[in-house]
Amino acid sequence: SQTAELDFSTTAFVKEISRARTFGFMRDFEYLRANNLALGASVNNAIAVDDYKILNEDGLRYEDEFVKHKVLDAVGDLYLLGHSLIGRFVGYKSGHGLK
């Protein structure tokens, strides 16, 4: 389990969140490509994993890049509110399927 806590009134977003990549299993990537989906995906802009390890040659950009990408997803979703948000957001087992 990973957690992240950030103060967005600072430069935390640029320094700690903005470069976090999406991630997925290589077997899913291969399936998507075979079905003409995710055509822009590569190990340069996504983290590929198998059942045991990270497959990207350079590894992770951040030690907790997985959770930071989840934060990036949440920021994008909250932006769609169309209004400023002052408060606290807590995501638990968040994922695209919950949207």
Side-chain angles (χ1 to χ4, degrees):
S1 169
Q2 292 184 336
T3 62
E5 187 169 325
L6 299 158
D7 180 354
F8 283 94
S9 66
T10 67
T11 58
F13 178 79
V14 173
K15 291 180 180 178
E16 300 180 39
I17 301 297
S18 65
R19 295 188 65 240
R21 297 166 290 180
T22 192
F23 53 91
F25 285 99
M26 183 58 89
R27 64 179 173 265
D28 296 337
F29 171 76
E30 292 164 351
Y31 170 82
L32 292 169
R33 295 294 292 232
N35 287 283
N36 214 26
L37 301 168
L39 299 177
S42 75
V43 293
N44 295 319
N45 60 19
I47 303 165
V49 297
D50 64 12
D51 291 329
Y52 306 103
K53 65 185 179 297
I54 295 166
L55 302 175
N56 299 61
E57 187 176 312
D58 294 335
L60 300 175
R61 292 178 178 166
Y62 310 101
E63 182 179 321
D64 57 351
E65 188 168 0
F66 296 108
V67 72
K68 286 183 176 182
H69 177 74
K70 290 297 189 176
V71 170
L72 187 60
D73 278 346
V75 168
D77 292 344
L78 293 170
Y79 182 79
L80 294 174
L81 291 171
H83 301 282
S84 295
L85 178 67
I86 298 172
R88 181 177 182 201
F89 172 81
V90 176
Y92 177 74
K93 293 188 177 183
S94 62
H96 295 289
L98 296 175
K99 292 180 183 175

